[in-house]
Amino acid sequence: MLGYLFVANYFLLGSLGRNAVSAFNVAKFGGTSVANFEAMSRCAAIIENNPNTKLVVSSACSGVTNLLVELANGVADQARRQEVLNQLAQIHNEILDQLADPLSVEKEVHIILDSVATAAEAASYQTSTKLTDHLVACGELMSTHILAQLMRERDIDAVRFDIRDVLRTDSNFGKAEPQLDAIAQLAQDKLVPLCQQQVVVTQGFIGSDEEGNTTTLGRGGSDYSAALIAESVQAAGLEIWTDVPGIYTTDPRIAPKASPIPEISFSEASEMANFGAKILHPSTLVPALRHDIPVFVGSSKEPEKGGTWIRHQVESSPLFRALALRCNQTMVTLRSANMFHAYGFLAKVFEILAKHKISVDLITTSEISVSLTLDQTDTSGGAPELPQAAREELEELCTVEIEQNLCLVALIGNNMSESKGYAKQVFSTLEDFNLRMICYGASPHNLCFLLHESVSKSAIQKLHRELFEN
Ligand code: ASP
Ligand code: MG
């Protein structure tokens, strides 16, 4: 039904991981992939099509964790609390109603919904991080009951497993630290034997501490869970099914001819993520990297489109791999009249920045000046500000100029600092642009420019056309 590409894709999924210890793959489905009955059915089809996939890690249904977080923060208004509880019931009941045999899991799901109501009331009096984790874990606990049943109804021999029996963490509720040795041992004892017999469906994001309290790994933690679980069972491959068909040469909304990248190295992928590409964050994949487990990223909506493998070693390392764009940049230029042949100026500048916990991203220097951009440290998404106190201290040393409305364009590739001849092509493509800053040479994987935000997208378009579309 899904055609040749789909089959070819799965052949690849099965064969590429053949060197690893365990014969099976772990597949993780994000919230949008399990948002409703149709979405869950697509996940089941993906599992059916690859007999190599034995372990399924699922997020909560889309939107559920946000609702649970609202309850966990304490909703004093009883009407609002009831409204949120109704929404939660509706999301799950709608899927249950479409199962052939809803009764087989309805009771389990409703018990969890009841416990959510009780905990939400408790949170309206007094919140705690422990209670929050108990509450927000319920999304994954419910979605996996339903997904496992849906798979059984399609004749997949699936069993739901409570990952809290394996994913041991410390008791740092809200952002618990996994305990790798314990997880590895528990996985070998409890999970691996099960995976050899059945398809196991389990929860992302959650774990438990030594006392058996439920913990979570932090928002968006199910990718990290999946990588930890893949590591613990020594999986052959880790599939991350999301709502985009892998990693593209650039954002297709900016350059419609952007093309999917079939294979990319961990280091290139982390450069892309660091420079703003909205892809899987490689820091969540560290466990997979540690065990050299290849990671596949694809869309559960369009599995026939294939996706991207992120691997330690890749077959081709092209000079140009991708273009990333990150806006809301703040550039600080410091000029000192006394800098000429002086020493210690940069040391003083960085001492002040360190004292104010300001992290620097890009930097270029000249004899009497230094320009740097500030790292995005908060999650507001706006341009970072230089704190007034830091500015005043810097002004005792030099003049301080601040520019905003800038974007960073990063050209990502391989061996860039050792290659000849390509700079001409890059710079002649950008000859009509005012490049406010250029960073090149420190990393073999990137060449970065700072441009005014009004022209940054057209710079990406031009570079993409010139370097990737022929
Ligand atoms: N359900 C959790 C969240 O929304 C974890 C995840 O989906 O990654 O943060
Ligand atoms: Mg997610």
Side-chain angles (χ1 to χ4, degrees), residues 352-359 377:
I352 296 170
L353 295 174
K355 186 174 137 200
H356 293 274
K357 298 196 164 61
I358 297 163
S359 160
T377 42

Side-chain angles (χ1 to χ4, degrees), residues 28 30-31 59-60 65-66 136 140 204-205 218-223:
K28 180 253 167 179
S59 285
T65 311
N66 286 347
V136 298
E140 274 74 6
F205 180 49
R219 286 308 303 272
S222 53
D223 290 334

Side-chain angles (χ1 to χ4, degrees), residues 43 74 98 114 148 191 198 299 306-307 329 340 358 380 412 450 466:
C43 300
Q98 293 175 76
D114 288 345
L191 205 47
Q198 282 172 293
S299 163
Q329 300 296 295
F340 190 66
I358 297 163
S380 70
I412 288 142
L450 217 54
E466 186 62 32

Side-chain angles (χ1 to χ4, degrees), residues 98-262:
Q98 293 175 76
L99 291 173
D101 179 15
L103 288 180
S104 56
V105 285
E106 197 176 72
K107 197 166 134 229
E108 282 83 354
V109 174
H110 286 173
I111 289 173
I112 298 170
L113 281 171
D114 288 345
S115 78
V116 169
T118 313
E121 197 187 334
S124 74
Y125 295 113
Q126 174 129 44
T127 60
S128 76
T129 53
K130 186 173 166 184
L131 182 59
T132 298
D133 274 2
H134 166 77
L135 252 171
V136 298
C138 290
E140 274 74 6
L141 291 172
M142 290 190 278
S143 66
T144 44
H145 269 303
I146 302 176
L147 182 61
Q149 174 60 17
L150 183 143
M151 284 170 43
R152 285 190 288 270
E153 291 183 5
R154 297 174 62 121
D155 286 335
I156 302 172
D157 185 11
V159 62
R160 176 184 180 273
F161 180 83
D162 192 325
I163 202 65
R164 290 174 296 183
D165 291 339
V166 162
L167 213 134
R168 186 68 67 250
T169 69
D170 66 9
S171 304
N172 186 15
F173 298 106
K175 204 154 186 42
E177 203 50 55
Q179 295 181 340
L180 302 181
D181 291 341
I183 295 171
Q185 190 60 52
L186 290 163
Q188 290 304 324
D189 293 348
K190 300 186 180 186
L191 205 47
V192 174
L194 214 52
C195 295
Q196 274 147 4
Q197 290 157 19
Q198 282 172 293
V199 175
V200 177
V201 179
T202 196
Q203 304 80 25
F205 180 49
I206 73 172
S208 79
D209 68 8
E210 220 155 84
E211 276 91 62
N213 299 306
T214 301
T215 55
T216 64
L217 303 180
R219 286 308 303 272
S222 53
D223 290 334
Y224 187 32
S225 281
L228 286 166
I229 295 166
E231 175 182 43
S232 72
V233 300
Q234 304 187 1
L238 169 60
E239 307 160 31
I240 304 273
W241 294 98
T242 169
D243 49 9
V244 286
I247 300 171
Y248 276 61
T249 48
T250 195
D251 186 340
R253 288 167 302 186
I254 299 174
K257 289 206 177 136
S259 51
I261 301 171

